[in-house]
Each structure stands twice: as C-alpha cells, then as structure tokens.
Amino acid sequence: MPNLDGAIEFMRVACDEWSLGYDQYQRWNVYDGGECDCSSLVITALKKNGFDVGTATYTGDMSTNLTRRGWVRMNADLSKCQPGDILLNDRYHVCMVISGYGWKSRIAQASIDERGCATGGRTGDQTGRETNTRGVYTYSQGWNCILRYEKAPAPAPVPEGKIAVDGYLGYKSIFAWQKQLNGYCDGIVSGQDRINRPFLPALVSVEWSGEGSYMVQLLQTKLMGWGIDVDGHFGPLTVRALQKQLKQWGYDIGKSGVDGYLGADTAKAVQKSINDGCWE
C-alpha cells in the first residue's frame, strides 16, 4: 500500500542524513554513499514506499505515469504546497515537499555534483549539498506543475494559535519556540555545526554554519539545571537535557527515552510543550 509519509521520510533521510551524491550516469545507486539525480531520487522514494510509478524513469515521463496512478497535476502555485507534493519541471528538475505548507514549506532534492557538473565526481556527497533540503523556492527554469497524490489525507486541522504536532520542527514550530523563549523570531535555528547533524533529524528549519545560535543559548539557559553549557550549539548533550526536561513535564518522548537524538517523538513532545506555553 502506498505510504506517502514513508516517501517523505525517505527523501529527508537521503538528503539530510546520508552521504548521497549526484551523478546522472550512476543515478540509480540510491543508498548511503551512492549516487542519484533529481528524478531517480524521487522515483526511488516512491517505489520504496509502495507507489506504482509505471515506467517512469526521468522528469519527462513522471507526470504521464503518476497521473495515471492516483496523482493529480495541479498548477504550480507554491502557496498551495503541502507535504508529499512533487514540484516538477517536465524537462529539467523535480523535488518533493517534506514539511510545512505554502511558502513556508521545505523540500528535499538532488542538485548537482561537487564540481557543479552532472557527472564525473566522486561517489557520495562531497559538499553536503549534492543532495539537500531547503525552503521551497521558485526554480530558475520554472515549475510546470505540482503533482499531488489524490488519495493523500487532508492535513488535520490545527487549533487557532497552535502549531501542528507532526514531528518535524519546521519554520512555524521554531518561530513559536523562539517567541516563547523571548528571542529574535525568524523561524530558523541558525549557526549549527554539521557534526551535530546526525543527532537532529527532526530539526528541518536549520542553518548549518557552525557559529552558534542565540535561540539555542536561550534554550540552554532554561536547561542549565541539567548540567549543560550555554554555547549556542544544539548537540546531543543539549538534546539529552531537553528530553529530560520534557520528560519531567510529563511529555512522552518515545520508547528510546533520553538518548540525545532529536527524532520525531522528541519533536512532537517539543511541539506539545510549545502549544502548552511551557517555554514562556
């Protein structure tokens, strides 16, 4: 059975956690340390999660195949984006929305190899950007359409003034968290060191630059009772302190417990605590 959430998570993990490179000649080696291009990545994510993609092999035949198998072709109005949507230029590029809605959406994609070329580079992601996640954007060649799985459930309504409890700390969640922490509100956790990236899979609104974040400093100040330093870096020690605090407040952080890993269960607990006003 098709699993849209599974396809979304595959895209996120492939682009944020794996060292997955870009190469149009080795494009079907879609695994950690392998190679792909934009269309092989999306097609593989769908196939791995139960979708019938027909004979789709590249951007040029994706729309024809998918619209015969439960997907609808919509105008490329990015203000209407929702998780699971495929943004398609029939000739040049494709990506998938993995979180958020409208212009606050976040996408996952395969971009280009480490030399700015389509093929010939080293295996795996040499730059951290050959495959990547980022905010939704207007493609230079234009998006021809949005492909949406018509059987996908509509997003659950969110009470007014609240954020969705979906296990992904995107723009809206981070903005609301920053507001409660009484810091600068831009919806992005800035200045984070890439060495901590494997510990933060559910943190999707983040800037990897390594300089540290004022928001994280404010958070760490509130968590100092758990014996952590205030350095602005969202590393595993800060995640562990966060999990301990959430658990003390009575939130379910999942079966793995206090493990220093900011996954979906911990992110949901954070979102619930934000909705409850715990960080004010």
Side-chain angles (χ1 to χ4, degrees):
M1 177 171 295
N3 180 354
L4 191 62
D5 288 339
I8 292 169
E9 179 66 2
F10 184 97
M11 291 290 294
R12 186 194 66 77
V13 170
C15 294
D16 264 353
E17 297 185 23
W18 291 356
S19 176
L20 179 61
Y22 187 100
D23 192 306
Q24 290 186 356
Y25 287 175
Q26 306 294 329
R27 59 195 295 262
W28 295 109
N29 296 335
V30 187
Y31 49 78
D32 192 2
E35 303 281 278
C36 68
D37 68 3
C38 62
S39 56
S40 71
L41 176 59
V42 173
I43 291 168
T44 299
L46 296 177
K47 291 174 70 175
K48 291 280 188 181
N49 287 281
F51 287 90
D52 180 2
V53 301
T55 58
T57 59
Y58 75 115
T59 56
D61 62 10
M62 286 183 68
S63 180
T64 300
N65 277 280
L66 294 184
T67 54
R68 292 174 178 172
R69 294 168 173 83
W71 296 75
V72 293
R73 184 178 174 108
M74 303 166 50
N75 291 334
D77 182 352
L78 300 186
S79 70
K80 305 296 185 184
C81 286
Q82 67 181 42
D85 283 355
I86 294 172
L87 307 185
L88 179 67
N89 178 293
D90 293 295
R91 184 174 180 181
Y92 294 112
H93 193 43
V94 65
C95 65
M96 181 182 286
V97 177
I98 60 170
S99 66
Y101 296 88
W103 286 102
K104 303 303 182 184
S105 299
R106 196 162 183 84
I107 61 93
Q109 65 182 357
S111 293
I112 202 69
D113 80 3
E114 70 271 22
R115 304 171 306 151
C117 300
T119 189
R122 295 173 59 190
T123 300
D125 190 348
Q126 304 303 311
T127 64
R129 298 295 298 169
E130 293 188 47
T131 51
N132 60 83
T133 61
R134 56 165 293 179
V136 71
Y137 64 99
T138 301
Y139 180 51
S140 61
Q141 301 294 329
W143 299 116
N144 295 130
C145 69
I146 293 173
L147 296 176
R148 178 172 295 170
Y149 189 53
E150 65 179 1
K151 298 178 183 178
V158 178
E160 186 176 355
K162 303 292 185 180
I163 57 173
V165 179
D166 58 7
Y168 295 99
L169 297 179
Y171 171 86
K172 290 183 179 179
S173 294
I174 298 303
F175 189 96
W177 206 0
Q178 289 170 328
K179 188 174 181 180
Q180 288 191 19
L181 289 167
N182 200 28
Y184 172 71
C185 298
D186 63 358
I188 301 171
V189 181
S190 60
Q192 295 308 295
D193 195 326
R194 289 183 181 276
I195 196 172
N196 292 321
R197 195 170 183 175
F199 300 100
L200 305 170
L203 182 61
V204 297
S205 187
V206 58
E207 176 188 84
W208 303 103
S209 64
E211 299 170 354
S213 164
Y214 179 56
M215 174 207 163
V216 177
Q217 290 179 359
L218 293 174
L219 173 63
Q220 290 169 328
T221 299
K222 288 185 175 289
L223 298 173
M224 283 181 65
W226 298 109
I228 61 170
D229 295 328
V230 178
D231 60 7
H233 293 285
F234 214 150
L237 294 180
T238 297
V239 176
R240 285 175 62 87
L242 172 63
Q243 290 171 324
K244 289 176 182 178
Q245 185 63 65
L246 291 166
K247 191 173 181 180
Q248 185 180 82
W249 283 337
Y251 294 102
D252 181 10
I253 59 173
K255 294 181 180 179
S256 57
V258 179
D259 60 358
Y261 182 81
L262 183 53
D265 289 332
T266 298
K268 288 178 181 178
V270 169
Q271 290 167 325
K272 290 176 183 178
S273 71
I274 294 170
N275 283 338
D276 293 340
C278 291
W279 300 97
E280 294 178 345

